[in-house]
Structure formats: C-alpha cells, structure tokens
Amino acid sequence: MESLSVNSYEDIPLYTLDLNENSGFPFWIGKNRFRQNSQLHQHQYIQINYVVKGRGYHIVNNTPHEIEVGDIFVMPPFVPHKILSSEKSAAVEVMEIEFVPEFINEQFNNISQVRGLFDFSYIASFIVCVDEIRSNIRLSAQDQQEVNRIIQHLYQEYQLQRPLFEHAFKALLMQLLVIVNRSFSELPENSQYIQLYAKHRNTIENVVSHIEECYMEDLKVEDMARLAMMSQSYFCYFFKLLVGKTFTQYLIEVRLKYAKQALQQSDASITEVATNCGFNNVSHFIRTFKANVNLSPTQYRKVSKG
C-alpha cells in the first residue's frame, strides 16, 4: 500500500483539545465507539488509546493492524490514523486519554535540561515518524488489570473534578505511562525507536545552534523544517517539546538577548541594534523589546549603564 505523503495531511481533519467536552484543561479522557465508517483524522496532542470492548483494526499510514480488548497504543501528534470495527453490527470501544506533553513534564523548558526518565522512557516511545508508528502493545493480564484500575480512576477524577483533581489526574497518568513504557521497552525490536528519537533530538539541537549563529538573518520556520528534514507541523511540535517554546518565541528570545548585549556594550543607534539583531522593522523591535523586557530599548540602555 502506498504511504500518505506529508503534503496530503492538509486535507485530513486536525482535532484539538478545545473540541472536547469540558475543554480548558491540557488533558481529556473519554470513551469513543468506532464502527466501519470512521474517518481518517489527526490530533494536535498525544493520545493514548485502550481497547475495552470488541475487535477491529487500527489503520496507520494506510496499514491495518488488528486490535482487541486489552491492547493499548499511543499516537503522536499530527499522525493520520483511524479505528474501524471488524464487525458490521458492533462497535469497537476505546478509552481515549489525550494530553499535551507539557502537562506531564514541566521541565521541557530548556533543551540542555531534557535528560533522564522523560528523555527516552517517555518520549522515545511516542515521538517517531509516521512510517515507524507502532500500532499497539499487547499487555499482559497483570498489566491489563492495573491499566483498567488506573483508567477507571482517571475517568472518575475527570468527571468529578474535585479540588486538586488536576494533580490526581497527572499522578495517575504518570503511572499509566510507566506501564506502557515498560511494556514497550521490553520488546527487543524497540531499540530502533531510541535511535530514531536520538536522531531527531540531535537535529533539533543543530537547529538551535543554527539560530544562535544566524539570528540576524531572515530565519523562517519553513526553512528550519527543511533544514531538519521534517514536515513543518512535526518540526513545530518537536521543537516546542524539546525547547519549551515555539520556534518564533525562541528566535525572538535569542534576538533580544543579543540586542540587550548591544545596548549595554555599544553606542550603536536603536535602528542599528534592531537591524544587527534580525529585526527588519525598528518599530516592531521597540514594541517586541518593551513587551518582553518591560522597558523600551532606550530606557534599558540608560538603566543598564547606570
């Protein structure tokens, strides 16, 4: 079967957390029923799917994979997929847990700090290209029992929304991710996913270095995506995941860092500082500087020089 091209993704519905009931939280849980007419779609977040009833097929990259009760699979953002029932008269029922990565690990704010448990045990299993998606993990009977317990508690916490339920939800989700990742890592072929993630990580680190060196140039996100050899949507997701900021936010941050140095250490005009730091419009530079530093460039220079 021919794989979907990245360009064809534009015509596939993209779901966001805002579309769910009780939106406003960086997570959601609910039950969905899929029959034989479900549509191909993609998500803007990580989605955990746990089959609770029926049998069917999970179709990723036009390839069907059989699923049954007790199977669990994790879908990265921006990967088209759909779930179909294998029976005309019955639906396959799936508990869906959706969340943004920042909800789990608030330490994703500096690429140099992304190490340890969440570097590989959490991320590598999920952040892979569309051709490498693992359709499902077949849990042991013991793990199925524990996953059922956790998901029931997750659903209860989300429905009741008692005080501190966000913390309870996060703690339970962490337990679920540990089980999923242990089951995943025990499969011998999965060393390829660790290598794939490491490759992507190095790519983003190279992009970050490129921004530091060429911040004064007209850097565009589409050019950086091509440099990373990723689709633009996937690049934007992975960059924010590792750096903790969008590409645009990080680029502005770097430019302002060097602008502040120039204002402190030189007598260059505001226009020169703006141009030398990649701001083509001095008015935009002044507005951006003031919005981020709470001082105008002139005020900052005066204060920094005493």
Side-chain angles (χ1 to χ4, degrees):
M1 242 176 219
E2 186 176 343
S3 298
L4 285 166
S5 69
V6 171
N7 292 333
S8 67
Y9 290 8
E10 296 176 1
D11 299 326
I12 298 172
L14 176 64
Y15 297 154
T16 68
L17 284 171
D18 294 337
L19 297 176
N20 293 325
E21 296 179 9
N22 299 324
S23 61
F25 301 106
F27 55 86
W28 179 84
I29 182 172
K31 183 182 290 186
N32 220 331
R33 293 175 174 84
F34 300 93
R35 297 189 180 274
Q36 294 188 332
N37 61 344
S38 68
Q39 300 299 308
L40 194 68
H41 61 279
Q42 53 183 328
H43 305 276
Q44 205 175 31
Y45 42 77
I46 291 177
Q47 183 185 67
I48 300 175
N49 299 268
Y50 181 62
V51 183
V52 295
K53 185 177 180 180
R55 300 172 65 92
Y57 299 95
H58 182 216
I59 300 178
V60 185
N61 199 30
N62 289 345
T63 303
H65 305 269
E66 292 186 4
I67 54 174
E68 60 183 35
V69 174
D71 284 0
I72 195 166
F73 47 97
V74 183
M75 292 304 299
F78 309 112
V79 175
H81 72 126
K82 63 180 176 180
I83 299 171
L84 303 174
S85 173
S86 57
E87 301 177 18
K88 290 183 179 181
S89 59
V92 56
E93 295 185 4
V94 178
M95 288 298 297
E96 298 179 339
I97 304 166
E98 302 166 352
F99 62 96
V100 297
E102 295 87 341
F103 173 64
I104 292 299
N105 191 3
E106 297 171 356
Q107 293 180 355
F108 286 132
N109 57 7
N110 187 319
I111 196 168
S112 64
Q113 297 176 1
V114 184
R115 294 289 187 268
L117 171 64
F118 288 99
D119 193 14
F120 290 106
S121 297
Y122 163 57
I123 296 299
S125 306
F126 309 154
I127 310 304
V128 292
C129 63
V130 64
D131 294 325
E132 301 291 342
I133 296 296
R134 181 178 179 83
S135 176
N136 62 294
I137 300 171
R138 193 142 291 170
L139 299 173
S140 67
Q142 182 178 353
D143 283 342
Q144 282 187 41
Q145 186 176 18
E146 183 65 8
V147 165
N148 280 322
R149 181 191 68 80
I150 293 172
I151 288 179
Q152 287 175 10
H153 286 181
L154 280 167
Y155 188 71
Q156 183 181 51
E157 288 289 345
Y158 191 80
Q159 291 297 310
L160 297 177
Q161 296 190 10
R162 295 175 295 186
L164 301 178
F165 89 97
E166 297 100 326
H167 300 280
F169 194 98
K170 180 176 180 178
L172 289 163
L173 183 54
M174 292 281 289
Q175 293 179 40
L176 179 61
L177 288 170
V178 167
I179 293 173
V180 172
N181 280 291
R182 282 177 176 170
S183 298
F184 184 91
S185 62
E186 287 170 359
L187 300 170
E189 70 271 22
N190 287 332
S191 61
Q192 63 180 303
Y193 294 87
I194 304 297
Q195 295 170 3
L196 182 62
Y197 172 75
K199 177 183 176 182
H200 287 347
R201 178 191 168 86
N202 290 339
T203 297
I204 296 299
E205 288 176 338
N206 290 337
V207 170
V208 168
S209 297
H210 183 75
I211 293 171
E212 288 281 348
E213 294 172 5
C214 305
Y215 62 90
M216 70 295 294
E217 298 178 8
D218 185 20
L219 302 180
K220 293 183 171 61
V221 65
E222 53 265 32
D223 296 328
M224 297 301 99
R226 280 194 291 269
L227 179 65
M229 293 186 290
M230 297 178 180
S231 71
Q232 187 171 324
S233 58
Y234 189 74
F235 168 78
C236 290
Y237 166 76
F238 204 74
F239 188 94
K240 189 174 189 298
L241 181 68
L242 281 182
V243 182
K245 303 174 180 66
T246 66
F247 165 77
T248 301
Q249 289 170 337
Y250 187 75
L251 177 59
I252 289 173
E253 182 179 279
V254 171
R255 286 173 170 171
L256 290 178
K257 177 180 71 174
Y258 287 104
K260 288 191 285 186
Q261 290 180 10
L263 291 168
Q264 291 173 357
Q265 301 170 8
S266 77
D267 295 322
S269 69
I270 301 302
T271 300
E272 289 175 321
V273 171
T275 302
N276 293 339
C277 293
F279 293 93
N280 296 326
N281 184 295
V282 67
S283 297
H284 172 63
F285 166 65
I286 293 171
R287 288 195 304 271
T288 303
F289 193 97
K290 192 168 185 178
N292 286 270
V293 185
N294 294 323
L295 293 171
S296 70
T298 301
Q299 291 170 330
Y300 181 83
R301 169 174 273 168
K302 184 175 180 180
V303 170
S304 63
K305 289 189 174 182

